[in-house]
Amino acid sequence: NAGVTQTPKFQVLKTGQSMTLQCAQDMNHEYMSWYRQDPGMGLRLIHYSVGAGITDQGEVPNGYNVSRSTTEDFPLRLLSAAPSQTSVYFCASSRDRVYEQYFGPGTRLTVT
Amino acid sequence: AQSVTQPDIHITVSEGASLELRCNYSYGATPYLFWYVQSPGQGLQLLLKYFSGDTLVQGIKGFEAEFKRSQSSFNLRKPSVHWSDAAEYFCAVGAFNSGGYQKVTFGTGTKLQVIP
């Protein structure tokens, strides 16, 4: 049982490039979320999903897209990277809406 | 909308000393409250949670937290800190939106340093 996995661990992009951050979980969790963590700001919710085919925006969705075609995978797409998207990105999953979240190890993204 | 305040950005304690990390929340109804810990370069791990019932909750690694509705607080405590407790600690409050999703709002974190 690997839990929540994220790839890559580190990524450097140039402004305007696009990329996809991968997230997968093997716990059959319905709920999955993407957060970004910036110094002094805690974690902020980007997008979330309550099941395959269902996604919604969090508090900082601009510049990011998500889709959920399977229960296991929840990729985050950066459409046109900007320096303001330099951050550490965490994917999380939970069994149900009232349960605690399990976090992946994070992806550190730098946009130059 | 809910919010969480962790007033201490950085705390230093001696190994073996007691610890209390402060957390205040703002939410109109009974909240779901969490404490997570993040070791350097790692994701977050749940320490404990409060949903209802006994206001003193026990967690992993010897941590406990007490929910005080009158003070809107959910402070984390440990009677004797170990060097391995050095990490960043996040308080979080969960609330359900109109779609039934529990949106979790995190505090800005408290970094704990443990000195020998």
Side-chain angles (χ1 to χ4, degrees):
Chain A
N1 190 328
V4 179
T5 57
Q6 293 183 238
T7 56
K9 288 193 184 333
F10 302 94
Q11 183 71 49
V12 179
L13 290 178
K14 294 188 188 308
T15 298
Q17 288 184 318
S18 63
M19 79 159 295
T20 299
L21 307 185
Q22 301 291 345
C23 173
Q25 52 91 10
D26 61 359
M27 298 174 283
N28 202 33
H29 286 174
E30 288 296 322
Y31 288 73
M32 296 187 74
S33 306
W34 275 103
Y35 294 89
R36 59 178 289 172
Q37 182 178 31
D38 301 292
M41 301 190 74
L43 278 79
R44 293 181 291 169
L45 182 66
I46 304 171
H47 285 287
Y48 66 93
S49 169
V50 300
I54 308 171
T55 64
D56 205 348
Q57 296 181 350
E59 57 184 302
V60 289
N62 292 341
Y64 307 96
N65 271 358
V66 292
S67 60
R68 183 102 178 266
S69 56
T70 67
T71 299
E72 294 78 20
D73 300 300
F74 190 42
L76 177 73
R77 296 182 187 84
L78 278 70
L79 308 172
S80 177
S84 61
Q85 293 178 304
T86 293
S87 187
V88 181
Y89 292 84
F90 288 99
C91 179
S93 73
S94 61
R95 185 174 72 184
D96 198 346
R97 62 190 192 128
V98 299
Y99 286 93
E100 66 267 23
Q101 297 180 84
Y102 292 81
F103 284 81
T107 295
R108 185 174 293 274
L109 175 68
T110 302
V111 182
T112 62
Chain B
Q2 70 267 34
S3 65
V4 179
T5 301
Q6 292 182 250
D8 303 306
I9 297 172
H10 191 264
I11 282 183
T12 300
V13 299
S14 298
E15 191 169 15
S18 63
L19 172 70
E20 183 168 27
L21 302 183
R22 296 183 291 165
C23 172
N24 291 96
Y25 69 90
S26 173
Y27 183 57
T30 300
Y32 291 75
L33 295 162
F34 307 86
W35 274 101
Y36 286 86
V37 61
Q38 184 181 31
S39 298
Q42 303 292 318
L44 278 70
Q45 180 186 20
L46 181 74
L47 283 176
L48 48 79
K49 60 183 183 286
Y50 171 79
F51 289 170
S52 64
D54 193 347
T55 56
L56 184 63
V57 293
Q58 304 295 322
I60 62 171
K61 304 185 182 187
F63 285 91
E64 66 178 26
E66 186 170 13
F67 170 58
K68 292 186 177 180
R69 184 188 302 276
S70 62
Q71 298 176 20
S72 298
S73 69
F74 189 56
N75 293 349
L76 182 72
R77 300 193 294 248
K78 186 169 184 178
S80 178
V81 169
H82 188 262
W83 64 267
S84 61
D85 294 324
E88 190 159 18
Y89 292 80
F90 292 92
C91 182
V93 59
F96 292 99
N97 65 11
S98 58
Y101 172 75
Q102 183 189 192
K103 178 178 179 296
V104 180
T105 299
F106 287 83
T108 51
T110 298
K111 276 193 181 162
L112 174 65
Q113 181 182 9
V114 180
I115 55 177

